Amino acid sequence: MKAAEIRQTFLKFFESKGHQIVASSPVVPGDDPTLLFTNAGMNQFKDVFLGFDKRAYSRATTSQKCIRAGGKHNDLDNVGYTARHHTFFEMLGNFSFGDYFKHDAISFAWELLTEHFHLPAEKLWVTVYAEDDEAYDIWNKVVGVPAERIVRIGDNKGGRYMSDNFWMMGDTGPCGPCTEIFFDHGPEVAGGPPGSPDEDGDRYIEIWNNVFMQFNRTEDGVMHRLPKPSVDTGMGLERLAAVLQHVHSNYSIDTFVALLEAAKKAVDEAGALNCDAESASLKVIADHIRACSFTIVDGIIPGNEGRGYVLRRIARRAIRHGYKLGARTPFFHKIVGELVTQMGDAYPELRQAQTRVTEVLKQEEERFFQTIANGMEILEAALAKGDAQIDGETAFKLHDTYGFPVDLTADVCRERGVTVDQAGFDAAMTRQREQARAAGKFKMTQGLEYKGAATTFHGYDHLVCETSKVTAVYID
Ligand code: ATP
Ligand code: MG
Ligand code: MG
Ligand code: MG
């Protein structure tokens, strides 16, 4: 079953259960300052859950464009390295606004998976929130899942394992205990069952989360009961497609195979000649073209702040991976055409914006390739000295002044059998941060005439300068 058909089957199933099919909202949330990008299907219904907004329906179903590249749910660093995480993905969801609750949500999910998608029941595992006896009993007694495949999991307060059966949209907003459905891809894939110490593998894949929305968490950490218990579910289309297409990786599903081919062709034509079709770098590129394109569709352009900064960071990460494979001229924008072929029917706004998306990415690429060219000149000069190590100051200057990422410096050096003085780089970075902080303090003490309210931007706290994996602020 192709991804497009799976999406349709999901929506039609819930329509047959009295749900209104609602279009995906943009990836850029219209009026929610707590969110960088739409990270779940429930975002567009936040106010309905909170009781501030009323709809003509009490059941809805969507296929939602999501981006998880910042904020509470950030998968950027997983991409290309797990078989199941993307920056951009589609979340299939069904929602009850004070209508049905645990019993129906669980029954619907089971019926769809086992009777319509024909998944073998013995390959499905479920988790429930540790204290949720009600959900446990529905799975065990009503649906008939044996106790050995039902795992009770807490809210991860002790940070025990990764699993977390209390879902929150962000630090504030609607939240509640949840129950999740996992698919066992079989012993040939590494990883343990949910709740086990080695659960972070690709064998037991979380496919569907059913959240029992009951609270609104406010900034002070207080959980307020919602007006009505509700349901919010999310299933990754790409993960379900992998299961239904009998492959172990999201990158092997129909839509991704086509994108990977287009990415390989573009990278090869740009100088890589015949890059490794299995490389993680190609996966990163195929993933990032989706996030970048859909972000631009919704009006974001690469920049140095907020969402534009995240877009720039994702685009440059993809370009860097292309460079690593051997591309020396712009290639990234050339994949947009295939993306439109794959997703333009489901998301016509993508097709409409194709020319703009291509142009914006092309400009960013030309700029970044120029940045790389300038940086390479400096790096070559440093390498020409013949030392066994590039000093931290040079690596830092390349990064800080020329926007030449330190991991690119490290890659080039590795190819030449030279190391990078990482400790020296880190020290230079720390010194610069301290200087910046000192400058900030100075401004504060000088700011006596300033009468306005202080503002702090927290939007991309998680994105700036992650130690040595630096892709921090580019100066161009
Ligand atoms: P994981 O534990 O695998 O990171 P999650 O618990 O963070 O997933 P949820 O917030 O519960 O994910 O989202 C609901 C569903 O969306 C997941 O069950 C999964 O199928 C899908 N999903 C979540 N994150 C991603 C991602 N980065 N790429 C693709 N699909 C995803
Ligand atoms: Mg996650
Ligand atoms: Mg999870
Ligand atoms: Mg989950």
Side-chain angles (χ1 to χ4, degrees), residues 164 167 180 206 209:
D164 179 344
W167 197 87
E180 297 192 317
E206 177 191 326
N209 190 355

